[in-house]
Tab-separated table of all heavy atoms in Angstrom:
chain	number	residue	atom	x	y	z
A	1	THR	N	344.542	173.244	112.187
A	1	THR	CA	343.245	172.809	111.683
A	1	THR	C	343.455	171.773	110.571
A	1	THR	O	344.448	171.821	109.844
A	1	THR	CB	342.436	173.985	111.108
A	1	THR	OG1	343.101	174.507	109.943
A	1	THR	CG2	342.309	175.094	112.138
A	2	ALA	N	342.496	170.843	110.481
A	2	ALA	CA	342.554	169.816	109.436
A	2	ALA	C	341.143	169.535	108.934
A	2	ALA	O	340.237	169.287	109.735
A	2	ALA	CB	343.191	168.538	109.956
A	3	GLN	N	340.954	169.596	107.622
A	3	GLN	CA	339.670	169.282	106.985
A	3	GLN	C	339.732	167.811	106.558
A	3	GLN	O	340.401	167.449	105.595
A	3	GLN	CB	339.436	170.168	105.772
A	3	GLN	CG	338.073	170.031	105.152
A	3	GLN	CD	337.068	170.988	105.756
A	3	GLN	OE1	337.388	172.122	106.035
A	3	GLN	NE2	335.849	170.517	105.951
A	4	LEU	N	339.025	166.950	107.327
A	4	LEU	CA	339.091	165.519	107.059
A	4	LEU	C	338.106	165.075	105.987
A	4	LEU	O	338.376	164.115	105.260
A	4	LEU	CB	338.840	164.742	108.357
A	4	LEU	CG	339.797	165.049	109.512
A	4	LEU	CD1	339.483	164.171	110.708
A	4	LEU	CD2	341.247	164.892	109.073
A	5	VAL	N	336.956	165.733	105.918
A	5	VAL	CA	335.942	165.395	104.918
A	5	VAL	C	335.443	166.685	104.296
A	5	VAL	O	335.106	167.637	105.005
A	5	VAL	CB	334.752	164.626	105.538
A	5	VAL	CG1	333.678	164.362	104.483
A	5	VAL	CG2	335.227	163.320	106.157
A	6	LYS	N	335.402	166.721	102.975
A	6	LYS	CA	334.848	167.876	102.269
A	6	LYS	C	334.228	167.398	100.962
A	6	LYS	O	334.903	167.198	99.953
A	6	LYS	CB	335.930	168.925	101.990
A	6	LYS	CG	335.378	170.221	101.426
A	6	LYS	CD	336.458	171.281	101.270
A	6	LYS	CE	335.873	172.584	100.762
A	6	LYS	NZ	336.918	173.632	100.600
A	7	SER	N	332.909	167.205	100.995
A	7	SER	CA	332.179	166.759	99.821
A	7	SER	C	331.072	167.753	99.521
A	7	SER	O	330.949	168.792	100.189
A	7	SER	CB	331.596	165.362	100.055
A	7	SER	OG	330.616	165.391	101.077
A	8	ALA	N	330.256	167.442	98.549
A	8	ALA	CA	329.179	168.358	98.166
A	8	ALA	C	328.188	168.571	99.298
A	8	ALA	O	327.617	169.657	99.444
A	8	ALA	CB	328.463	167.822	96.927
A	9	LYS	N	327.980	167.547	100.133
A	9	LYS	CA	326.971	167.654	101.196
A	9	LYS	C	327.538	167.609	102.608
A	9	LYS	O	326.909	168.100	103.540
A	9	LYS	CB	325.938	166.532	101.040
A	9	LYS	CG	325.011	166.706	99.842
A	9	LYS	CD	323.866	165.703	99.900
A	9	LYS	CE	322.860	165.960	98.795
A	9	LYS	NZ	321.714	165.021	98.866
A	10	ASP	N	328.706	167.029	102.783
A	10	ASP	CA	329.240	166.824	104.129
A	10	ASP	C	330.615	167.451	104.287
A	10	ASP	O	331.453	167.378	103.384
A	10	ASP	CB	329.325	165.330	104.446
A	10	ASP	CG	327.977	164.651	104.433
A	10	ASP	OD1	327.220	164.845	105.392
A	10	ASP	OD2	327.684	163.942	103.450
A	11	LYS	N	330.808	168.042	105.479
A	11	LYS	CA	332.106	168.596	105.842
A	11	LYS	C	332.405	168.207	107.289
A	11	LYS	O	331.529	168.273	108.150
A	11	LYS	CB	332.120	170.122	105.700
A	11	LYS	CG	331.968	170.613	104.271
A	11	LYS	CD	331.987	172.133	104.207
A	11	LYS	CE	331.819	172.625	102.783
A	11	LYS	NZ	331.821	174.110	102.724
A	12	PHE	N	333.654	167.805	107.536
A	12	PHE	CA	334.069	167.447	108.890
A	12	PHE	C	335.500	167.914	109.099
A	12	PHE	O	336.390	167.596	108.309
A	12	PHE	CB	333.972	165.940	109.119
A	12	PHE	CG	334.426	165.514	110.487
A	12	PHE	CD1	333.703	165.865	111.613
A	12	PHE	CD2	335.590	164.779	110.642
A	12	PHE	CE1	334.120	165.477	112.880
A	12	PHE	CE2	336.017	164.384	111.895
A	12	PHE	CZ	335.271	164.737	113.026
A	13	SER	N	335.722	168.702	110.154
A	13	SER	CA	337.053	169.239	110.446
A	13	SER	C	337.361	169.081	111.926
A	13	SER	O	336.449	168.971	112.772
A	13	SER	CB	337.142	170.716	110.050
A	13	SER	OG	336.226	171.492	110.809
A	14	VAL	N	338.647	169.059	112.237
A	14	VAL	CA	339.107	168.981	113.624
A	14	VAL	C	340.143	170.068	113.849
A	14	VAL	O	340.813	170.519	112.911
A	14	VAL	CB	339.699	167.598	113.963
A	14	VAL	CG1	338.628	166.531	113.905
A	14	VAL	CG2	340.849	167.248	113.025
A	15	GLU	N	340.269	170.495	115.105
A	15	GLU	CA	341.230	171.532	115.489
A	15	GLU	C	341.867	171.163	116.818
A	15	GLU	O	341.250	170.500	117.663
A	15	GLU	CB	340.553	172.893	115.620
A	15	GLU	CG	339.906	173.380	114.341
A	15	GLU	CD	339.217	174.728	114.499
A	15	GLU	OE1	339.098	175.208	115.650
A	15	GLU	OE2	338.802	175.297	113.473
A	16	GLY	N	343.093	171.599	117.006
A	16	GLY	CA	343.777	171.399	118.275
A	16	GLY	C	344.755	172.533	118.517
A	16	GLY	O	345.316	173.080	117.566
A	17	GLY	N	344.932	172.897	119.797
A	17	GLY	CA	345.848	173.996	120.080
A	17	GLY	C	346.044	174.202	121.569
A	17	GLY	O	345.588	173.412	122.407
A	18	ILE	N	346.746	175.281	121.890
A	18	ILE	CA	346.974	175.667	123.284
A	18	ILE	C	346.402	177.067	123.497
A	18	ILE	O	346.276	177.850	122.555
A	18	ILE	CB	348.474	175.634	123.656
A	18	ILE	CG1	349.278	176.558	122.737
A	18	ILE	CG2	349.008	174.216	123.582
A	18	ILE	CD1	350.734	176.684	123.151
A	19	SER	N	346.051	177.362	124.736
A	19	SER	CA	345.411	178.643	125.020
A	19	SER	C	345.949	179.228	126.325
A	19	SER	O	346.402	178.499	127.215
A	19	SER	CB	343.886	178.476	125.132
A	19	SER	OG	343.555	177.635	126.229
A	20	LEU	N	345.878	180.540	126.414
A	20	LEU	CA	346.197	181.262	127.637
A	20	LEU	C	344.938	182.020	128.031
A	20	LEU	O	344.453	182.868	127.277
A	20	LEU	CB	347.365	182.227	127.422
A	20	LEU	CG	347.840	183.015	128.647
A	20	LEU	CD1	348.339	182.063	129.740
A	20	LEU	CD2	348.926	184.007	128.272
A	21	THR	N	344.395	181.702	129.208
A	21	THR	CA	343.096	182.218	129.623
A	21	THR	C	343.226	183.098	130.846
A	21	THR	O	343.956	182.770	131.798
A	21	THR	CB	342.124	181.060	129.934
A	21	THR	OG1	341.981	180.254	128.770
A	21	THR	CG2	340.753	181.578	130.359
A	22	SER	N	342.519	184.223	130.824
A	22	SER	CA	342.420	185.135	131.972
A	22	SER	C	340.955	185.193	132.366
A	22	SER	O	340.119	185.661	131.599
A	22	SER	CB	342.945	186.524	131.603
A	22	SER	OG	342.803	187.419	132.675
A	23	GLN	N	340.632	184.717	133.563
A	23	GLN	CA	339.248	184.564	134.004
A	23	GLN	C	339.016	185.329	135.308
A	23	GLN	O	339.818	185.250	136.230
A	23	GLN	CB	338.959	183.075	134.203
A	23	GLN	CG	337.564	182.756	134.690
A	23	GLN	CD	337.326	181.263	134.732
A	23	GLN	OE1	337.462	180.567	133.714
A	23	GLN	NE2	336.990	180.739	135.902
A	24	ARG	N	337.910	186.071	135.350
A	24	ARG	CA	337.549	186.850	136.540
A	24	ARG	C	336.128	186.511	136.943
A	24	ARG	O	335.200	186.610	136.149
A	24	ARG	CB	337.669	188.357	136.260
A	24	ARG	CG	339.070	188.801	135.843
A	24	ARG	CD	340.052	188.634	136.987
A	24	ARG	NE	341.410	189.025	136.616
A	24	ARG	CZ	342.354	188.182	136.236
A	24	ARG	NH1	342.070	186.873	136.160
A	24	ARG	NH2	343.569	188.605	135.929
A	25	GLY	N	335.946	186.119	138.220
A	25	GLY	CA	334.625	185.798	138.738
A	25	GLY	C	333.965	187.013	139.369
A	25	GLY	O	334.634	187.979	139.747
A	26	ILE	N	332.648	186.972	139.482
A	26	ILE	CA	331.935	188.115	140.051
A	26	ILE	C	332.099	188.201	141.553
A	26	ILE	O	331.821	189.238	142.161
A	26	ILE	CB	330.434	188.059	139.710
A	26	ILE	CG1	329.798	186.805	140.313
A	26	ILE	CG2	330.214	188.097	138.210
A	26	ILE	CD1	328.294	186.764	140.186
A	27	ALA	N	332.556	187.118	142.195
A	27	ALA	CA	332.681	187.124	143.649
A	27	ALA	C	333.952	187.817	144.126
A	27	ALA	O	334.193	187.902	145.314
A	27	ALA	CB	332.648	185.687	144.180
A	28	GLY	N	334.774	188.312	143.226
A	28	GLY	CA	336.012	188.969	143.632
A	28	GLY	C	337.220	188.138	143.278
A	28	GLY	O	337.175	187.281	142.390
A	29	LYS	N	338.304	188.329	143.986
A	29	LYS	CA	339.577	187.703	143.627
A	29	LYS	C	339.653	186.225	144.013
A	29	LYS	O	340.630	185.571	143.675
A	29	LYS	CB	340.727	188.457	144.278
A	29	LYS	CG	340.870	189.896	143.780
A	29	LYS	CD	342.060	190.580	144.427
A	29	LYS	CE	342.215	191.998	143.898
A	29	LYS	NZ	343.378	192.694	144.503
A	30	THR	N	338.663	185.689	144.729
A	30	THR	CA	338.730	184.294	145.151
A	30	THR	C	338.749	183.329	143.965
A	30	THR	O	339.278	182.240	144.068
A	30	THR	CB	337.530	183.952	146.057
A	30	THR	OG1	336.310	184.284	145.362
A	30	THR	CG2	337.583	184.752	147.345
A	31	ARG	N	338.153	183.729	142.828
A	31	ARG	CA	338.127	182.834	141.677
A	31	ARG	C	338.772	183.462	140.448
A	31	ARG	O	338.488	183.054	139.328
A	31	ARG	CB	336.692	182.426	141.357
A	31	ARG	CG	336.110	181.401	142.323
A	31	ARG	CD	336.730	180.044	142.122
A	31	ARG	NE	336.316	179.461	140.846
A	31	ARG	CZ	337.017	178.612	140.145
A	31	ARG	NH1	338.205	178.247	140.551
A	31	ARG	NH2	336.559	178.103	139.021
A	32	ASP	N	339.629	184.441	140.650
A	32	ASP	CA	340.360	185.015	139.530
A	32	ASP	C	341.477	184.054	139.130
A	32	ASP	O	342.277	183.633	139.971
A	32	ASP	CB	340.954	186.370	139.912
A	32	ASP	CG	339.874	187.434	140.067
A	32	ASP	OD1	338.701	187.116	139.800
A	32	ASP	OD2	340.208	188.560	140.450
A	33	LEU	N	341.510	183.690	137.846
A	33	LEU	CA	342.462	182.695	137.385
A	33	LEU	C	343.159	183.151	136.112
A	33	LEU	O	342.546	183.799	135.261
A	33	LEU	CB	341.757	181.361	137.098
A	33	LEU	CG	341.066	180.650	138.254
A	33	LEU	CD1	340.295	179.439	137.735
A	33	LEU	CD2	342.077	180.226	139.297
A	34	ASP	N	344.441	182.813	135.994
A	34	ASP	CA	345.204	182.956	134.752
A	34	ASP	C	345.929	181.636	134.548
A	34	ASP	O	346.748	181.250	135.395
A	34	ASP	CB	346.204	184.114	134.849
A	34	ASP	CG	345.513	185.459	135.020
A	34	ASP	OD1	344.956	185.970	134.040
A	34	ASP	OD2	345.531	185.990	136.147
């Protein structure tokens, strides 16, 4: 994370990263993803 702007009235930050996702669809295993 990085806070690029931090003043009395304005704040602006950015974030970057990697993720590991486990996803399950209601239709069954046809759309199950990792």
Side-chain angles (χ1 to χ4, degrees):
T1 66
Q3 187 90 40
L4 302 183
V5 177
K6 188 175 182 180
S7 65
K9 289 190 174 182
D10 298 285
K11 294 180 181 179
F12 178 68
S13 63
V14 294
E15 300 179 351
I18 58 174
S19 63
L20 182 61
T21 301
S22 177
Q23 179 175 303
R24 301 293 179 262
I26 62 172
K29 296 182 179 180
T30 55
R31 285 288 291 152
D32 289 356
L33 298 173
D34 296 285

